[in-house]
Amino acid sequence: KFSAEKAKTLIKDIDFQVGRTGSITPVARLESVNIGGVIISNATLHNFDEIQKKDIREGDSIIVERAGDVIPHIIKVIKFKEKKRKDSYKAPNNCPVCGSKIVIDEDEVVIRCSGTYQCEAQIIGRLKHYVSRNALDIDGLGDKQINLLYKEGFIEKYSDIYSLKYKSNEISSLEGWGDLSFNNLVTAIEDKRRVSLSKLIYALGIRFVGEKNAKAISSVFKNTKHFVKELNVKGGLSNSVIEQMKNVDGLGPKAIYSFNEYLNYKD
């Protein structure tokens, strides 16, 4: 008999989630099972090395574990001699969302979509990060709202968020919206127009630029006006700013390169 945190179930399917930095995580879709009063229907497979190591395949009977608020994960596969299993699972060669080539980082176990600025999953992921609690923390713009507003064509890039106030009639008429919820959203957006530069840099969702590196990068700029000026420099950051960044304690070359690459990208 299993403890309240574990249960036996079946893998119906294995598919993928593409994160805002392009990392592709395999996810097992399970036959729903009750674990400690919570109905579980998905489990993370972490990465493709994990799939190979545990020899996880579609159709397998497995033991899944849920500990506290941690995402459920598969402990092991239950193998039956008389049961024919499906073929071993292989990592994709192309992104399942945008079709871009998959790249493999030598120093990481994850595989990554190379279509950083074309991949819809990454674009939506960055938008969600931008408004999230640790970033700009805009009330009324959760995952559900971002998904809907992106699907309806109201938001495609960060600047579109600040133009939503001109779409009163269109957005108020959407399912689940109304004048009150729309006005509350506009107020929440306007309240977050003025934020610290480090918060803004973190909110951009650039790979290798977490809260710590965002603070380090912001220290190179005198103010937001200086930062915006650098945004308009052709070819990315000026050499003088890059040299300053290299001298910031704890700020590594990966973060500097990734930050410069992001600023150098033009729609």
Side-chain angles (χ1 to χ4, degrees), residues 17-241:
Q17 287 180 346
V18 182
R20 66 178 170 84
T21 62
S23 58
I24 298 179
T25 306
V27 177
R29 307 301 178 186
L30 312 174
E31 274 193 1
S32 296
V33 62
N34 189 320
I35 305 181
V38 178
I39 302 299
I40 302 299
S41 56
N42 304 310
T44 180
L45 296 173
H46 301 292
N47 54 63
F48 292 93
D49 282 357
E50 179 85 356
I51 293 178
Q52 298 299 325
K53 182 180 171 185
K54 293 181 178 176
D55 191 20
I56 296 169
R57 309 184 192 186
E58 289 179 0
D60 279 347
S61 294
I62 49 97
I63 295 175
V64 65
E65 179 180 53
R66 177 182 177 272
D69 294 327
V70 178
I71 299 169
H73 65 279
I74 293 169
I75 299 175
K76 67 176 183 178
V77 173
I78 304 171
K79 295 180 181 177
F80 301 97
K81 287 182 180 178
E82 67 277 8
K83 183 179 177 181
K84 187 177 178 181
R85 303 174 72 208
K86 293 196 176 180
D87 292 338
S88 296
Y89 205 77
K90 300 238 180 338
N93 294 316
N94 299 89
C95 174
V97 174
C98 70
S100 296
K101 284 188 177 179
I102 294 298
V103 292
I104 301 172
D105 295 316
E106 290 180 7
D107 55 347
E108 295 187 53
V109 293
V110 300
I111 65 172
R112 202 173 297 279
C113 165
S114 62
T116 307
Y117 303 108
Q118 291 79 42
C119 183
E120 189 174 272
Q122 293 187 61
I123 293 168
I124 293 173
R126 285 192 294 271
L127 287 169
K128 290 177 180 177
H129 174 79
Y130 187 78
V131 301
S132 66
R133 181 166 294 180
N134 288 339
L136 295 197
D137 191 19
I138 299 177
D139 285 336
L141 267 187
D143 289 0
K144 183 180 175 183
Q145 289 80 13
I146 290 289
N147 285 336
L148 176 64
L149 294 174
Y150 182 88
K151 179 186 170 187
E152 296 293 333
F154 293 112
I155 297 177
E156 291 181 356
K157 52 188 183 297
Y158 302 136
S159 57
D160 293 336
I161 292 170
Y162 303 99
S163 300
L164 290 176
K165 61 184 178 181
Y166 304 117
K167 309 285 185 181
S168 173
N169 291 336
E170 299 98 314
I171 294 176
S172 294
S173 63
L174 292 174
E175 186 178 348
W177 288 78
D179 290 338
L180 179 61
S181 54
F182 175 79
N183 290 334
N184 287 341
L185 175 61
V186 170
T187 300
I189 292 169
E190 293 300 310
D191 283 347
K192 297 298 167 69
R193 271 189 176 272
R194 296 179 67 87
V195 295
S196 68
L197 182 54
S198 64
K199 186 76 82 174
L200 175 61
I201 291 171
Y202 171 69
L204 295 174
I206 303 166
R207 191 177 170 209
F208 301 123
V209 182
E211 291 178 281
K212 187 178 177 183
N213 279 341
K215 282 184 181 178
I217 290 171
S218 70
S219 70
V220 171
F221 301 97
K222 295 175 188 137
N223 48 44
T224 305
K225 192 175 180 181
H226 179 209
F227 174 66
V228 172
K229 185 180 176 183
E230 280 292 328
L231 293 185
N232 296 321
V233 174
K234 267 195 173 181
L237 295 169
S238 62
N239 289 334
S240 63
V241 169

